[in-house]
Amino acid sequence: MKLFAPYSKTPRRGLLAGLLALGAASLAPQAQAMQLPTQNLSQMIAKSDVIVSGEVTSVKDGIQDGVPYTEVTLKVTGSAKQDLALKSNYTFRQFGLLKARKLDDGRYLLPAKIEGMPSWRVGERVMTFMNKPSSKTGLTTPVGLTQGKLSINGGKAANSFNNVGLFEGVQVSKRELLRAPETSMLSTTSGAVDVNVLQGLVSRAVKNNWIGTGEMR
């Protein structure tokens, strides 16, 4: 069996930045893979193009114009920063394959191994902060990679780092802007949080442009 694996190792710094438009090229080298720059909630809100909650209904992969991708579709249950209709489908593509794929010439393209890239499973419920898709490839990924994908279980939401750093340094200038559960949530250093409290805070922050006005930073 012939192997063709240009993406089987972590892509070079320039390739990763160009394909994913992450603004975090330091993620590329394998030696630095676990040193993801922390993205707190304020940064995620500021950087995201879409903030969407929903259930994963489809995960598939393919190759377009020589670029391997994984395509994920969510059934929308809520959104911010873009008004997505409830029960509509939100689909995006991120870099890499789910499994080895045989090419026309008999060689195989292997899945990419990028530390920090989130995985997706049909049936899981998520809240995710998505970067704007690349203008060249259409690929995207959550802000801060797996930091920006929160899985929802039993009414609680947490990313793969158990929310460590999610609220670190987040400040809201006026105490009266926050509800008591939100104040309590922002004081936590790790652990799953009430998804309704998180979604409510994010929705109001986006609607009232707290980031742009400096009310939230």
Side-chain angles (χ1 to χ4, degrees):
M1 179 177 68
K2 297 180 181 179
L3 297 180
F4 178 59
Y7 303 107
S8 62
K9 296 181 180 179
T10 302
R12 293 172 297 174
R13 185 185 302 262
L15 176 59
L16 184 62
L19 289 174
L20 303 181
L22 293 176
S26 60
L27 305 183
Q30 197 79 300
Q32 299 179 7
M34 297 310 294
Q35 300 178 12
L36 295 178
T38 300
Q39 303 290 315
N40 67 21
L41 183 64
S42 297
Q43 292 169 319
M44 288 185 183
I45 293 173
K47 294 177 181 179
S48 59
D49 180 56
V50 177
I51 304 172
V52 57
S53 299
E55 180 179 339
V56 178
T57 58
S58 174
V59 182
K60 56 187 179 181
D61 62 4
I63 302 171
Q64 183 171 345
D65 299 327
V67 178
Y69 65 83
T70 292
E71 183 178 279
V72 180
T73 298
L74 307 180
K75 182 71 71 175
V76 175
T77 58
S79 63
K81 268 211 166 178
Q82 285 196 28
D83 189 14
L84 304 177
L86 294 179
K87 298 184 179 181
S88 66
N89 290 325
Y90 170 71
T91 300
F92 64 90
R93 290 178 175 181
Q94 69 179 31
F95 178 78
L97 297 174
L98 297 171
K99 58 185 178 181
R101 179 175 289 263
K102 189 175 182 179
L103 303 178
D104 293 339
D105 61 7
R107 293 179 295 173
Y108 283 77
L109 184 63
L110 302 183
K113 299 296 182 183
I114 301 176
E115 294 290 344
M117 183 72 78
S119 59
W120 308 84
R121 175 178 51 82
V122 171
E124 70 176 328
R125 296 177 58 227
V126 301
M127 177 180 183
T128 185
F129 298 73
M130 299 301 299
N131 283 299
K132 185 176 182 180
S134 165
S135 59
K136 292 183 178 180
T137 65
L139 299 181
T140 185
T141 197
V143 176
L145 295 176
T146 192
Q147 295 176 85
K149 177 208 171 186
L150 286 78
S151 297
I152 302 172
N153 294 289
K156 300 285 187 178
N159 60 28
S160 63
F161 292 97
N162 200 30
N163 291 343
V164 172
L166 181 60
F167 305 115
E168 182 179 351
V170 174
Q171 298 180 23
V172 177
S173 61
K174 299 176 182 178
R175 181 174 298 182
E176 60 268 22
L177 293 176
L178 296 175
R179 297 162 183 166
E182 295 167 348
T183 300
S184 178
M185 180 182 69
L186 293 180
S187 69
T188 61
T189 57
S190 66
V193 298
D194 188 303
V195 67
N196 291 322
V197 175
L198 178 62
Q199 290 173 333
L201 175 59
V202 170
S203 294
R204 294 202 331 281
V206 171
K207 180 179 179 180
N208 297 300
N209 192 28
W210 287 357
I211 302 295
T213 61
E215 299 284 7
M216 183 176 184
R217 59 187 187 277

